[in-house]
Amino acid sequence: MSLAFLLTTLVVVATPGTGVVYTLAAALSHGRRASVVAAFACTLGIVPHVLATVTGLAALLNASAAAFQILKYAGVAYLLYMAWATLRDKEAIVVERDSGPRSAARVIVRGVLVNVLNPKLTIFFFAFLPQFVSPDEPHALPRMLGLSGVFMLLTFVVFALYGVLAASVRDRVTSRPKVMAWLRRSFAGSFLALGAKLALTAR
């Protein structure tokens, strides 16, 4: 594993995107534990993209405009739904003490969908991994899986760090209604902007 791979991965993972926004929202809504669960869910949502890459589906998505557009607009629709739900529901970002199985399951499902419905991740892996795996390497598949595992591990660590830091100021933030209203609009706007960016992004 090269230093270039680690540095590139850190830059990609640390750049705020849908996963980071979702993890921050979970941290402020439910606390530290939920932020870690959200980070895990977003990381879990990467698995289908890794499998798509190593099995060749990424090549199909890259070659088929129709397949890419279908998945892309499914992701756009979900991000728009997240924006609408966050803006509409004034209880979307509140201090909740329920950290039971139902709450955790909801956080996991939403976090997984945030990344599963993002075709750019598949294309990213398709373009990213081959740069660090020689085509003549006898164990190319295990190496690609290993590098993908490192990418997922760093994703989880960075997202969890974002979440834990947000959760540490949770009580001070959630006790101020005006700040909460601003946060709700900000998160809704972030989901809307990310959805628009995904819709306008070509392969």
Side-chain angles (χ1 to χ4, degrees):
M1 186 185 309
S2 67
L3 179 61
F5 174 83
L6 290 176
L7 291 176
T8 303
T9 298
L10 279 174
V11 170
V12 171
V13 169
T15 301
T18 53
V20 170
V21 171
Y22 180 73
T23 302
L24 292 176
L28 293 174
S29 298
H30 307 284
R32 182 176 301 176
R33 179 178 180 274
S35 72
V36 176
V37 172
F40 173 76
C42 290
T43 303
L44 196 61
I46 298 174
V47 173
H49 299 285
V50 173
L51 295 178
T53 300
V54 299
T55 58
L57 179 58
L60 173 64
L61 283 174
N62 196 38
S64 171
F68 179 84
Q69 293 296 327
I70 290 172
L71 186 56
K72 182 177 81 168
Y73 284 111
V76 170
Y78 185 71
L79 288 172
L80 293 180
Y81 163 76
M82 292 289 287
W84 173 79
T86 302
L87 191 61
R88 177 188 63 84
D89 186 2
K90 294 186 178 181
E91 303 298 315
I93 304 176
V94 296
V95 176
E96 293 187 10
R97 302 303 176 189
D98 175 19
S99 57
R102 175 183 289 184
S103 178
R106 189 186 308 119
V107 172
I108 290 174
V109 170
R110 290 185 174 182
V112 169
L113 285 175
V114 161
N115 270 348
V116 166
L117 295 175
N118 183 1
K120 297 301 292 183
L121 271 174
T122 297
I123 304 304
F124 166 76
F125 274 109
F126 183 67
F128 178 66
L129 288 180
Q131 299 182 40
F132 301 95
V133 180
S134 171
D136 301 325
E137 192 170 334
H139 304 292
L141 180 58
R143 179 167 172 77
M144 288 179 68
L145 291 174
L147 292 176
S148 298
V150 172
F151 183 94
M152 292 174 63
L153 177 61
L154 288 176
T155 297
F156 173 73
V157 171
V158 171
F159 281 23
L161 182 59
Y162 272 123
V164 169
L165 289 175
S168 67
V169 297
R170 176 190 180 214
D171 290 337
R172 278 177 283 178
V173 171
T174 55
S175 63
R176 302 177 181 179
K178 290 185 178 180
V179 174
M180 292 303 296
W182 179 83
L183 281 174
R184 192 172 64 252
R185 289 192 293 268
S186 296
F187 281 124
S190 296
F191 283 124
L192 182 63
L194 290 166
K197 180 180 179 182
L198 179 58
L200 295 173
T201 301
R203 290 184 297 156

